[in-house]
Protein backbone atom coordinates (compact mmCIF):
# COMPACT_ATOMS: atom_id res chain seq x y z
CA UNK A 1 0.00 0.00 0.00
CA UNK A 2 2.52 2.55 -1.12
CA UNK A 3 0.41 5.69 -0.82
CA UNK A 4 -0.29 5.00 2.82
CA UNK A 5 1.90 4.54 5.90
CA UNK A 6 1.42 4.51 9.65
CA UNK A 7 3.07 6.73 12.20
CA UNK A 8 2.33 6.51 15.91
CA UNK A 9 -0.96 4.78 15.15
CA UNK A 10 -2.07 7.43 12.66
CA UNK A 11 -2.51 6.95 8.95
CA UNK A 12 -0.28 9.03 6.70
CA UNK A 13 -1.41 9.48 3.09
CA UNK A 14 1.54 10.60 0.95
CA UNK A 15 -0.13 12.89 -1.60
CA UNK A 16 -2.21 14.75 0.97
CA UNK A 17 0.93 16.13 2.63
CA UNK A 18 2.75 19.28 1.62
CA UNK A 19 6.15 18.70 0.01
CA UNK A 20 7.88 19.89 3.18
CA UNK A 21 5.81 17.67 5.45
CA UNK A 22 6.46 14.68 3.20
CA UNK A 23 10.20 15.32 3.03
CA UNK A 24 10.32 15.73 6.81
CA UNK A 25 9.30 12.06 7.14
CA UNK A 26 12.64 10.94 5.72
CA UNK A 27 14.61 8.88 8.20
CA UNK A 28 11.73 8.72 10.66
CA UNK A 29 12.05 5.34 12.42
CA UNK A 30 8.40 5.40 13.53
CA UNK A 31 7.15 5.48 9.94
CA UNK A 32 5.77 2.03 8.99
CA UNK A 33 4.14 0.56 5.89
CA UNK A 34 0.36 0.19 6.17
CA UNK A 35 0.47 -3.30 4.62
CA UNK A 36 3.00 -5.06 6.82
CA UNK A 37 4.53 -2.61 9.31
CA UNK A 38 7.98 -2.80 7.71
CA UNK A 39 9.98 0.44 7.87
CA UNK A 40 8.56 2.91 5.32
CA UNK A 41 10.84 5.08 3.19
CA UNK A 42 9.33 8.25 1.64
CA UNK A 43 10.16 8.39 -2.09
CA UNK A 44 9.01 10.07 -5.27
CA UNK A 45 8.15 8.19 -8.43
CA UNK A 46 9.56 9.25 -11.78
CA UNK A 47 6.24 11.07 -12.34
CA UNK A 48 6.79 12.96 -9.10
CA UNK A 49 4.17 11.14 -7.04
CA UNK A 50 5.14 10.84 -3.37
CA UNK A 51 4.88 7.29 -2.05
CA UNK A 52 6.30 4.94 0.57
CA UNK A 53 8.63 2.06 -0.14
CA UNK A 54 9.42 -0.90 2.06
CA UNK A 55 12.67 -0.48 3.98
CA UNK A 56 12.97 -4.24 3.85
CA UNK A 57 10.52 -6.24 1.75
CA UNK A 58 10.57 -9.34 3.92
CA UNK A 59 7.37 -11.35 3.81
CA UNK A 60 5.15 -8.60 2.39
CA UNK A 61 3.11 -9.59 -0.64
CA UNK A 62 2.41 -6.08 -1.90
CA UNK A 63 4.85 -5.70 -4.74
CA UNK A 64 6.29 -2.47 -6.08
CA UNK A 65 3.92 -0.40 -8.18
CA UNK A 66 4.59 1.48 -11.36
CA UNK A 67 4.79 5.25 -11.35
CA UNK A 68 1.74 5.18 -13.64
CA UNK A 69 -0.35 3.20 -11.20
CA UNK A 70 0.59 5.41 -8.26
CA UNK A 71 -0.20 8.56 -10.18
CA UNK A 72 -3.56 7.17 -11.43
CA UNK A 73 -4.67 6.53 -7.89
CA UNK A 74 -3.75 10.05 -6.85
CA UNK A 75 -5.61 11.56 -9.83
CA UNK A 76 -8.70 9.46 -9.09
CA UNK A 77 -8.73 10.30 -5.38
CA UNK A 78 -8.30 14.01 -6.01
CA UNK A 79 -10.96 14.03 -8.74
CA UNK A 80 -13.41 12.20 -6.48
CA UNK A 81 -12.89 14.73 -3.72
CA UNK A 82 -13.34 17.54 -6.22
CA UNK A 83 -16.73 15.98 -7.05
CA UNK A 84 -17.70 16.03 -3.38
CA UNK A 85 -17.04 12.37 -2.59
CA UNK A 86 -14.84 10.96 0.12
CA UNK A 87 -11.95 9.01 -1.38
CA UNK A 88 -9.96 6.28 0.35
CA UNK A 89 -6.91 5.05 -1.53
CA UNK A 90 -5.81 1.43 -1.23
CA UNK A 91 -9.00 0.59 0.63
CA UNK A 92 -9.65 -2.89 2.01
CA UNK A 93 -13.00 -4.47 2.67
CA UNK A 94 -14.83 -7.74 2.61
CA UNK A 95 -18.10 -9.28 1.53
CA UNK A 96 -20.67 -10.25 4.21
CA UNK A 97 -19.33 -13.82 3.98
CA UNK A 98 -15.75 -12.70 4.48
CA UNK A 99 -14.21 -12.62 1.00
CA UNK A 100 -11.60 -9.85 1.14
CA UNK A 101 -11.09 -7.21 -1.56
CA UNK A 102 -8.86 -4.24 -2.06
CA UNK A 103 -9.75 -1.25 -4.20
CA UNK A 104 -7.29 1.25 -5.64
CA UNK A 105 -9.66 4.05 -4.69
CA UNK A 106 -12.93 3.59 -2.82
CA UNK A 107 -15.24 6.58 -3.09
CA UNK A 108 -18.19 7.08 -0.81
CA UNK A 109 -21.00 9.58 -0.59
CA UNK A 110 -23.95 8.87 1.67
CA UNK A 111 -24.86 5.27 1.02
CA UNK A 112 -23.18 5.11 -2.38
CA UNK A 113 -19.86 3.28 -2.75
CA UNK A 114 -17.85 3.29 -5.95
CA UNK A 115 -14.55 1.47 -6.33
CA UNK A 116 -12.15 2.47 -9.09
CA UNK A 117 -9.60 -0.07 -10.21
CA UNK A 118 -6.71 0.67 -12.50
CA UNK A 119 -5.79 -2.61 -14.09
CA UNK A 120 -2.31 -2.75 -15.61
CA UNK A 121 -1.59 -6.45 -15.41
CA UNK A 122 -3.44 -8.88 -17.67
CA UNK A 123 -6.85 -9.80 -16.36
CA UNK A 124 -9.44 -11.70 -18.35
CA UNK A 125 -13.03 -10.57 -18.67
CA UNK A 126 -14.13 -13.54 -16.57
CA UNK A 127 -11.70 -12.58 -13.79
CA UNK A 128 -12.87 -8.98 -13.92
CA UNK A 129 -16.51 -10.10 -13.71
CA UNK A 130 -15.64 -12.27 -10.70
CA UNK A 131 -13.98 -9.41 -8.89
CA UNK A 132 -16.94 -7.22 -9.81
CA UNK A 133 -19.29 -9.76 -8.23
CA UNK A 134 -17.28 -9.56 -5.00
CA UNK A 135 -17.74 -5.79 -5.00
CA UNK A 136 -21.41 -6.20 -5.72
CA UNK A 137 -21.87 -8.49 -2.73
CA UNK A 138 -20.27 -5.72 -0.64
CA UNK A 139 -22.65 -3.12 -2.10
CA UNK A 140 -19.84 -1.44 -3.97
CA UNK A 141 -20.16 -0.46 -7.63
CA UNK A 142 -16.87 -1.25 -9.36
CA UNK A 143 -15.54 0.69 -12.35
CA UNK A 144 -12.51 -0.60 -14.23
CA UNK A 145 -9.86 1.32 -16.08
CA UNK A 146 -7.68 -0.97 -18.15
CA UNK A 147 -4.45 -0.11 -19.84
CA UNK A 148 -4.67 -3.13 -22.16
CA UNK A 149 -7.15 -4.44 -24.69
CA UNK A 150 -7.74 -1.00 -26.18
CA UNK A 151 -9.21 -2.27 -29.43
CA UNK A 152 -11.43 -4.85 -27.80
CA UNK A 153 -12.72 -2.35 -25.28
CA UNK A 154 -13.38 0.38 -27.81
CA UNK A 155 -15.10 -1.94 -30.25
CA UNK A 156 -17.21 -3.14 -27.32
CA UNK A 157 -16.99 -6.74 -28.38
CA UNK A 158 -15.81 -8.13 -25.07
CA UNK A 159 -19.05 -8.73 -23.27
CA UNK A 160 -22.69 -9.35 -23.84
CA UNK A 161 -24.94 -6.36 -23.29
CA UNK A 162 -25.83 -7.16 -19.71
CA UNK A 163 -22.17 -7.72 -18.87
CA UNK A 164 -21.25 -4.38 -20.32
CA UNK A 165 -23.60 -2.70 -17.89
CA UNK A 166 -22.76 -4.92 -14.92
CA UNK A 167 -19.01 -4.55 -15.32
CA UNK A 168 -18.10 -1.15 -16.74
CA UNK A 169 -14.59 -1.25 -18.25
CA UNK A 170 -12.88 1.61 -20.04
CA UNK A 171 -9.50 1.93 -21.66
CA UNK A 172 -7.04 4.32 -20.00
CA UNK A 173 -4.05 5.41 -22.06
CA UNK A 174 -0.57 6.12 -20.76
CA UNK A 175 -1.12 9.87 -20.76
CA UNK A 176 -4.01 9.49 -18.28
CA UNK A 177 -6.68 10.03 -20.89
CA UNK A 178 -9.89 8.07 -21.45
CA UNK A 179 -9.96 8.10 -25.27
CA UNK A 180 -13.44 6.67 -25.62
CA UNK A 181 -14.92 9.85 -24.17
CA UNK A 182 -12.06 12.05 -25.26
CA UNK A 183 -11.38 13.36 -21.76
CA UNK A 184 -8.80 13.25 -19.03
CA UNK A 185 -8.92 10.69 -16.24
CA UNK A 186 -9.62 13.52 -13.79
CA UNK A 187 -12.63 14.77 -15.74
CA UNK A 188 -13.89 11.26 -16.32
CA UNK A 189 -13.87 10.54 -12.58
CA UNK A 190 -15.54 13.80 -11.54
CA UNK A 191 -18.09 13.34 -14.33
CA UNK A 192 -18.89 9.75 -13.54
CA UNK A 193 -19.35 10.62 -9.88
CA UNK A 194 -21.67 13.49 -10.83
CA UNK A 195 -24.21 11.53 -12.83
CA UNK A 196 -22.66 12.16 -16.23
CA UNK A 197 -21.92 8.53 -17.00
CA UNK A 198 -25.03 6.68 -18.01
CA UNK A 199 -25.76 3.34 -19.59
CA UNK A 200 -28.67 3.88 -21.94
CA UNK A 201 -31.14 2.79 -23.02
CA UNK A 202 -31.93 0.36 -20.26
CA UNK A 203 -35.07 -1.15 -18.77
CA UNK A 204 -36.55 1.05 -16.08
CA UNK A 205 -35.40 4.34 -17.60
CA UNK A 206 -37.97 6.92 -18.61
CA UNK A 207 -38.32 7.70 -22.29
CA UNK A 208 -40.31 10.17 -24.31
CA UNK A 209 -42.41 8.38 -26.89
CA UNK A 210 -43.33 10.03 -30.15
CA UNK A 211 -44.93 9.21 -33.46
CA UNK A 212 -43.08 10.08 -36.64
CA UNK A 213 -45.79 10.57 -39.22
CA UNK A 214 -46.05 11.83 -42.75
CA UNK A 215 -48.94 13.71 -44.32
CA UNK A 216 -49.99 11.95 -47.49
CA UNK A 217 -53.11 11.54 -49.55
CA UNK A 218 -55.04 8.30 -49.68
CA UNK A 219 -54.26 6.29 -52.83
CA UNK A 220 -57.97 5.56 -53.19
CA UNK A 221 -60.02 8.60 -52.19
CA UNK A 222 -57.18 11.17 -52.44
CA UNK A 223 -58.12 12.76 -49.15
CA UNK A 224 -55.49 13.83 -46.60
CA UNK A 225 -54.32 11.40 -43.98
CA UNK A 226 -51.33 10.76 -41.78
CA UNK A 227 -49.25 7.64 -42.03
CA UNK A 228 -47.18 6.48 -39.07
CA UNK A 229 -43.66 5.88 -40.40
CA UNK A 230 -42.03 4.91 -37.12
CA UNK A 231 -42.14 5.17 -33.35
CA UNK A 232 -39.51 7.36 -31.73
CA UNK A 233 -37.98 6.90 -28.28
CA UNK A 234 -35.80 9.37 -26.45
CA UNK A 235 -34.08 8.96 -23.09
CA UNK A 236 -31.73 11.96 -23.31
CA UNK A 237 -30.95 14.47 -26.00
CA UNK A 238 -28.43 12.17 -27.64
CA UNK A 239 -30.00 8.87 -26.67
CA UNK A 240 -32.77 8.25 -29.14
CA UNK A 241 -33.88 5.59 -31.53
CA UNK A 242 -36.69 4.80 -33.90
CA UNK A 243 -38.56 1.62 -34.69
CA UNK A 244 -39.88 1.52 -38.27
CA UNK A 245 -43.55 0.68 -38.80
CA UNK A 246 -42.65 -2.65 -40.41
CA UNK A 247 -41.19 -3.81 -37.09
CA UNK A 248 -43.87 -2.22 -34.96
CA UNK A 249 -46.56 -4.46 -36.45
CA UNK A 250 -44.52 -7.54 -35.61
CA UNK A 251 -43.85 -6.73 -31.97
CA UNK A 252 -46.50 -7.30 -29.33
CA UNK A 253 -45.00 -4.86 -26.83
CA UNK A 254 -44.85 -2.06 -29.41
CA UNK A 255 -48.40 -2.74 -30.54
CA UNK A 256 -49.58 -2.71 -26.97
CA UNK A 257 -47.90 0.64 -26.50
CA UNK A 258 -49.60 2.00 -29.61
CA UNK A 259 -52.96 0.81 -28.42
CA UNK A 260 -52.56 2.80 -25.23
CA UNK A 261 -51.41 6.04 -26.87
CA UNK A 262 -53.44 6.11 -30.09
CA UNK A 263 -56.58 7.53 -28.55
CA UNK A 264 -59.55 8.16 -30.85
CA UNK A 265 -59.42 11.95 -30.44
CA UNK A 266 -55.73 12.00 -31.32
CA UNK A 267 -56.32 9.90 -34.43
CA UNK A 268 -59.19 12.10 -35.43
CA UNK A 269 -57.22 15.29 -34.98
CA UNK A 270 -54.22 13.98 -36.91
CA UNK A 271 -56.28 12.00 -39.43
CA UNK A 272 -54.70 8.68 -38.61
CA UNK A 273 -56.84 5.79 -39.81
CA UNK A 274 -57.92 2.88 -37.69
CA UNK A 275 -55.43 0.11 -36.94
CA UNK A 276 -56.98 -3.22 -37.78
CA UNK A 277 -56.62 -6.36 -39.80
CA UNK A 278 -57.49 -5.85 -43.44
CA UNK A 279 -57.21 -8.15 -46.41
CA UNK A 280 -54.38 -7.20 -48.75
CA UNK A 281 -54.57 -7.88 -52.48
CA UNK A 282 -50.80 -7.64 -52.77
CA UNK A 283 -49.90 -10.21 -50.15
CA UNK A 284 -53.15 -12.22 -50.46
CA UNK A 285 -53.40 -12.29 -46.68
CA UNK A 286 -55.04 -10.31 -43.95
CA UNK A 287 -52.75 -8.24 -41.79
CA UNK A 288 -52.76 -5.54 -39.16
CA UNK A 289 -52.54 -2.29 -41.08
CA UNK A 290 -53.03 1.42 -41.11
CA UNK A 291 -56.07 2.60 -43.01
CA UNK A 292 -57.58 5.70 -44.52
CA UNK A 293 -59.63 7.65 -41.94
CA UNK A 294 -62.10 8.58 -44.72
CA UNK A 295 -62.61 5.49 -46.87
CA UNK A 296 -60.84 2.84 -44.74
CA UNK A 297 -58.64 1.74 -47.66
CA UNK A 298 -55.61 -0.29 -46.54
CA UNK A 299 -52.34 1.65 -46.52
CA UNK A 300 -49.85 -1.09 -47.26
CA UNK A 301 -46.92 -1.82 -44.96
CA UNK A 302 -44.51 -2.06 -47.90
CA UNK A 303 -45.69 1.27 -49.27
CA UNK A 304 -45.18 2.88 -45.86
CA UNK A 305 -41.71 1.40 -45.50
CA UNK A 306 -40.66 2.53 -48.97
CA UNK A 307 -42.00 6.00 -48.27
CA UNK A 308 -40.05 6.10 -45.02
CA UNK A 309 -36.84 4.99 -46.68
CA UNK A 310 -37.27 7.43 -49.54
CA UNK A 311 -37.75 10.33 -47.13
CA UNK A 312 -34.75 9.44 -44.95
CA UNK A 313 -32.48 8.60 -47.87
CA UNK A 314 -33.14 11.96 -49.45
CA UNK A 315 -32.49 13.75 -46.13
CA UNK A 316 -35.80 15.58 -46.33
CA UNK A 317 -37.34 14.18 -43.18
CA UNK A 318 -37.87 17.62 -41.64
CA UNK A 319 -39.94 18.57 -44.66
CA UNK A 320 -41.97 15.40 -45.03
CA UNK A 321 -42.31 14.11 -41.54
CA UNK A 322 -43.97 15.35 -38.42
CA UNK A 323 -42.88 14.44 -34.91
CA UNK A 324 -45.82 14.07 -32.59
CA UNK A 325 -44.73 13.85 -28.95
CA UNK A 326 -46.91 11.46 -27.02
CA UNK A 327 -46.19 10.50 -23.47
CA UNK A 328 -43.35 9.53 -21.12
CA UNK A 329 -43.07 5.81 -20.63
CA UNK A 330 -40.95 3.54 -18.49
CA UNK A 331 -38.89 1.31 -20.73
CA UNK A 332 -39.45 -2.40 -20.63
CA UNK A 333 -36.52 -4.63 -21.48
CA UNK A 334 -37.90 -5.33 -24.95
CA UNK A 335 -38.44 -1.64 -25.74
CA UNK A 336 -34.95 -0.69 -24.58
CA UNK A 337 -33.48 -3.46 -26.70
CA UNK A 338 -34.32 -1.57 -29.90
CA UNK A 339 -31.85 1.16 -28.94
CA UNK A 340 -28.08 0.87 -29.25
CA UNK A 341 -27.35 0.41 -25.55
CA UNK A 342 -23.95 1.64 -24.40
CA UNK A 343 -22.13 3.79 -21.91
CA UNK A 344 -22.58 7.46 -22.62
CA UNK A 345 -20.71 10.29 -21.01
CA UNK A 346 -21.73 13.89 -20.56
CA UNK A 347 -24.83 13.94 -22.62
CA UNK A 348 -27.88 15.92 -21.63
ZN1 LIG B 1 4.25 -4.36 3.07
ZN1 LIG C 1 -59.21 7.11 -48.50
Amino acid sequence: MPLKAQKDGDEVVSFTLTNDAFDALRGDPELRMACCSARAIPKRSKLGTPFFAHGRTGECSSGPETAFHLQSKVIIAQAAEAAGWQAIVEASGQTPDGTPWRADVLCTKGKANVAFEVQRSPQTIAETAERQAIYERSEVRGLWLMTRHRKTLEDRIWLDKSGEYTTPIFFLDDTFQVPRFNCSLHDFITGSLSGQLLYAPRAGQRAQLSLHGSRQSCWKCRKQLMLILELGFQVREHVRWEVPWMYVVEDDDLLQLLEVVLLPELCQRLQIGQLKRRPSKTTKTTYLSQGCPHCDALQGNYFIDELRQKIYRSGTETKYTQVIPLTQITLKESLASWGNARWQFRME
Side-chain angles (χ1 to χ4, degrees):
M1 298 199 172
L3 293 174
K4 285 205 258 192
Q6 302 267 343
K7 182 174 150 61
D8 306 324
D10 288 330
E11 191 175 86
V12 183
V13 182
S14 64
F15 64 93
T16 62
L17 302 175
T18 62
N19 285 340
D20 288 347
F22 183 72
D23 292 336
L25 291 170
R26 259 177 240 287
D28 188 332
E30 299 306 314
L31 192 68
R32 301 282 158 174
M33 294 303 285
C35 43
C36 63
S37 66
R39 271 285 299 278
I41 315 292
K43 285 188 177 175
R44 277 196 172 71
S45 79
K46 64 178 188 212
L47 292 173
T49 317
F51 71 102
F52 302 105
H54 290 82
R56 228 171 349 111
T57 345
E59 302 287 285
C60 184
S61 60
S62 74
E65 283 182 25
T66 62
F68 179 90
H69 196 202
L70 288 169
Q71 184 61 14
S72 319
K73 291 194 284 190
V74 173
I75 292 174
I76 292 170
Q78 289 175 339
E81 303 224 318
W85 288 58
Q86 196 202 342
I88 306 160
V89 291
E90 298 159 358
S92 316
Q94 58 178 39
T95 61
D97 62 7
T99 308
W101 49 261
R102 218 187 86 191
D104 282 338
V105 186
L106 178 67
C107 304
T108 58
K109 189 178 186 182
K111 283 185 177 163
N113 301 299
V114 178
F116 291 98
E117 273 297 297
V118 177
Q119 193 63 34
R120 291 271 285 174
S121 54
Q123 174 170 284
T124 66
I125 295 311
E127 286 162 347
T128 311
E130 261 169 53
R131 291 181 63 187
Q132 185 76 351
I134 291 172
Y135 281 139
E136 200 183 343
R137 295 211 298 278
S138 314
E139 292 180 22
V140 172
R141 182 81 166 120
L143 190 152
W144 300 82
L145 293 152
M146 284 198 180
T147 60
R148 292 168 184 252
H149 314 301
R150 175 173 191 158
K151 179 116 181 65
T152 315
L153 289 173
E154 294 198 340
D155 292 347
R156 304 167 54 233
I157 52 173
W158 74 103
L159 283 178
D160 60 89
K161 287 279 182 196
S162 70
E164 189 181 349
Y165 170 71
T166 315
T167 310
I169 312 174
F170 304 98
F171 176 75
L172 176 66
D173 77 11
D174 53 13
T175 63
F176 305 103
Q177 295 282 316
V178 180
R180 171 143 166 215
F181 301 118
N182 193 24
C183 72
S184 67
L185 177 60
H186 181 279
D187 290 354
F188 178 67
I189 300 300
T190 50
S192 60
L193 291 175
S194 315
Q196 293 175 36
L197 180 68
L198 181 80
Y199 191 80
R202 208 162 69 79
Q205 288 172 340
R206 299 283 286 167
Q208 168 71 46
L209 178 69
S210 54
L211 282 184
H212 297 184
S214 184
R215 290 233 156 268
Q216 299 289 327
S217 51
C218 171
W219 60 269
K220 196 169 178 188
C221 71
R222 295 287 155 203
K223 287 185 184 155
Q224 285 283 300
L225 52 71
M226 178 172 283
L227 296 176
I228 302 168
L229 301 181
E230 55 193 24
L231 283 186
F233 295 83
Q234 182 163 11
V235 174
R236 291 284 199 284
E237 191 184 341
H238 302 294
V239 185
R240 57 169 86 192
W241 66 100
E242 294 82 33
V243 184
W245 177 252
M246 288 287 266
Y247 296 107
V248 174
V249 283
E250 286 172 4
D251 186 288
D252 289 342
D253 288 331
L254 289 168
L255 282 176
Q256 208 181 11
L257 202 58
L258 259 190
E259 216 168 279
V260 176
V261 296
L262 275 187
L263 301 170
E265 53 272 28
L266 178 82
C267 292
Q268 200 176 4
R269 178 162 56 83
L270 298 172
Q271 293 177 300
I272 294 172
Q274 212 187 343
L275 284 191
K276 65 175 190 195
R277 298 192 75 87
R278 293 178 179 84
S280 157
K281 287 197 184 99
T282 324
T283 64
K284 312 249 190 296
T285 55
T286 299
Y287 69 82
L288 186 72
S289 56
Q290 299 184 48
C292 172
H294 314 288
C295 72
D296 202 43
L298 175 143
Q299 310 293 311
N301 282 352
Y302 290 99
F303 168 75
I304 292 173
D305 200 54
E306 267 172 25
L307 175 68
R308 174 183 169 276
Q309 292 193 35
K310 206 167 76 189
I311 291 172
Y312 286 94
R313 260 202 314 267
S314 62
T316 52
E317 64 262 34
T318 47
K319 190 169 163 197
Y320 291 110
T321 64
Q322 212 171 319
V323 175
I324 303 120
L326 297 171
T327 176
Q328 289 266 333
I329 57 160
T330 300
L331 291 173
K332 294 168 68 163
E333 189 81 51
S334 78
L335 298 178
S337 71
W338 291 95
N340 174 22
R342 63 202 152 97
W343 285 104
Q344 324 234 9
F345 188 61
R346 278 187 176 164
M347 64 299 133
E348 291 309 307

